[in-house]
Amino acid sequence: MGNVLAVSSGRSQVLPVPVALPLPTVESSTLANDLELKNPGTIEELHKKYKDIQANTFEGAKIILYKVLSNHFQVSHSLHLGQTVPSGYRFCATYVGTKPGDTTIAEGFPVILGDIDLLGNLNANVIHQISPRLRWKLTTQIQDSKTAATQLSMDYRGSDFTTSLTIANPSVFTNSVMIVGQYLQSMTSSLALGTELAYQCGPHVPGRQVAQVSVVARYAAENSVLSGTLGQSGLHACYYQRANDELQIGVELQTSLRMKDSVATLVYQLDLPKADLVFKGAIDSNWLISGVLEKRLNPLPFTLVICGRIDHAKNNFRLGCGLMMG
């Protein structure tokens, strides 16, 4: 996998030439920059820049209290009152270990996080870095005292490539499982290409088994990222652009070949550090408009969140208001 550079040494044979021509010179630093490719990350992070500025809205009232107990442990309490999603209280805990991870960012392993409600419904994640190149993640969901979903992922990060394997919901009783294999390779310092193979089998799958192959690509410049996924189900493309220190914009196109339908979405994020305010907005081709406003209430450790979502096609409007403390 990856690019293997073979350098051979030995005496070169000198051939007589009638005219001595000047040989082109190549700067060693330029050649090194062309050959030193960085790890492209995982395919799961392909559209990360676009997703970070999406406007994630909620309906009703929400209160979240964060409490840092130590450098490695923190908890949160959340209370949500709404009609579209189940209301109630949730407790969340996060533990970060002492094993260092990537030196470029502050991270530690293992990472254990989960949340549980008053009915005992649990969402848990365990992330651990076994070696500098190998990392695994275990995700499980328990609902109504039963395991609703289980997923195990393994990522191997080479110097200029990443390969991943995911196994989801395996069951020996129903002979069902979903396996996803991914590979992403850095071609240049800006371009990365890869592929994804998804296989699923089970009694609820048409024909009891199905497989799909997709190709992915990402081109990253200094302030912009263009990424896309093309497969049998359709096309998913995203474009991200940082216009300046305050404004970020993104465009997404989702095309379904089965439904013969396409949806385009425009998102943006406006940061006003002097006003301690962040606003995210979005509008798509179905005239679904959403927005989220986050206002830091200094000097108090509070953040006020107001969000709204209006669907003109369905004549539906939702409003949410929240307060984050800590």
Side-chain angles (χ1 to χ4, degrees):
M1 298 181 182
N3 294 334
V4 179
L5 301 180
V7 180
S8 60
S9 61
R11 297 182 177 178
S12 58
Q13 183 180 3
V14 179
L15 299 178
V17 292
V19 180
L21 298 177
L23 298 178
T25 59
V26 180
E27 294 291 339
S28 60
S29 59
T30 303
L31 181 60
N33 293 333
D34 292 340
L35 298 180
E36 290 180 0
L37 300 179
K38 296 182 180 180
N39 182 272
T42 61
I43 291 183
E44 185 180 4
E45 304 169 342
L46 195 69
H47 309 297
K48 184 178 184 301
K49 285 290 187 179
Y50 172 84
K51 293 180 179 179
D52 288 343
I53 63 174
Q54 277 186 309
N56 298 319
T57 63
F58 60 90
E59 186 267 340
K62 180 182 291 188
I63 299 177
I64 304 177
L65 172 62
Y66 295 97
K67 181 64 176 180
V68 179
L69 302 180
S70 67
N71 294 332
H72 305 282
F73 192 68
Q74 74 173 24
V75 298
S76 67
H77 309 267
S78 64
L79 179 63
H80 185 203
L81 302 176
Q83 297 180 351
T84 58
V85 297
S87 303
Y89 165 82
R90 298 192 73 91
F91 173 77
C92 178
T94 303
Y95 169 78
V96 179
T98 57
K99 182 178 179 180
D102 191 352
T103 56
T104 59
I105 57 177
E107 62 177 4
F109 294 96
V111 179
I112 304 174
L113 63 152
D115 62 87
I116 188 171
D117 61 11
L118 297 178
L119 299 178
N121 299 323
L122 173 68
N123 298 321
N125 296 270
V126 180
I127 307 172
H128 188 51
Q129 185 153 326
I130 303 175
S131 67
R133 295 187 181 275
L134 186 60
R135 181 182 302 182
W136 65 269
K137 177 181 178 181
L138 176 64
T139 303
T140 182
Q141 295 181 358
I142 298 177
Q143 297 181 357
D144 300 329
S145 302
K146 297 180 181 179
T147 303
T150 302
Q151 178 176 302
L152 176 63
S153 302
M154 300 285 291
D155 298 332
Y156 181 83
R157 298 174 183 246
S159 58
D160 59 355
F161 72 94
T162 299
T163 179
S164 305
L165 178 64
T166 302
I167 302 175
N169 301 327
S171 177
V172 296
F173 301 102
T174 59
N175 293 327
S176 61
V177 69
M178 184 174 183
I179 303 175
V180 180
Q182 299 173 336
Y183 180 80
L184 188 62
Q185 171 73 55
S186 292
M187 308 303 295
T188 66
S189 59
S190 302
L191 179 63
L193 301 177
T195 183
E196 179 185 75
L197 172 62
Y199 172 80
Q200 185 179 7
C201 65
H204 302 291
V205 179
R208 295 195 60 88
Q209 61 181 356
V210 63
Q212 291 186 356
V213 179
S214 303
V215 293
V216 302
R218 181 187 62 207
Y219 183 83
E222 183 178 358
N223 295 319
S224 61
V225 178
L226 176 62
S227 57
T229 303
L230 178 61
Q232 297 170 281
S233 59
L235 171 67
H236 182 200
C238 295
Y239 176 75
Y240 164 85
Q241 174 73 50
R242 173 177 283 276
N244 49 51
D245 294 338
E246 292 81 21
L247 180 61
Q248 304 174 65
I249 59 175
V251 180
E252 179 186 41
L253 175 63
Q254 288 184 323
T255 301
S256 175
L257 299 179
R258 297 179 180 177
M259 303 298 297
K260 296 181 180 181
D261 184 31
S262 297
V263 178
T265 306
L266 172 66
V267 301
Y268 61 93
Q269 175 175 318
L270 182 63
D271 296 272
L272 300 177
K274 294 183 179 180
D276 295 317
L277 186 144
V278 177
F279 181 80
K280 298 181 180 180
I283 180 173
D284 65 13
S285 56
N286 293 327
W287 293 106
L288 177 63
I289 304 175
S290 58
V292 179
L293 185 145
E294 298 180 4
K295 169 66 177 177
R296 185 74 176 179
L297 304 178
N298 289 323
L300 299 175
F302 297 161
T303 301
L304 177 65
V305 181
I306 301 176
C307 60
R309 175 172 176 167
I310 181 170
D311 191 342
H312 289 277
K314 299 180 180 179
N315 195 21
N316 186 16
F317 176 74
R318 297 177 183 176
L319 179 66
C321 182
L323 183 65
M324 295 186 294
M325 298 175 286

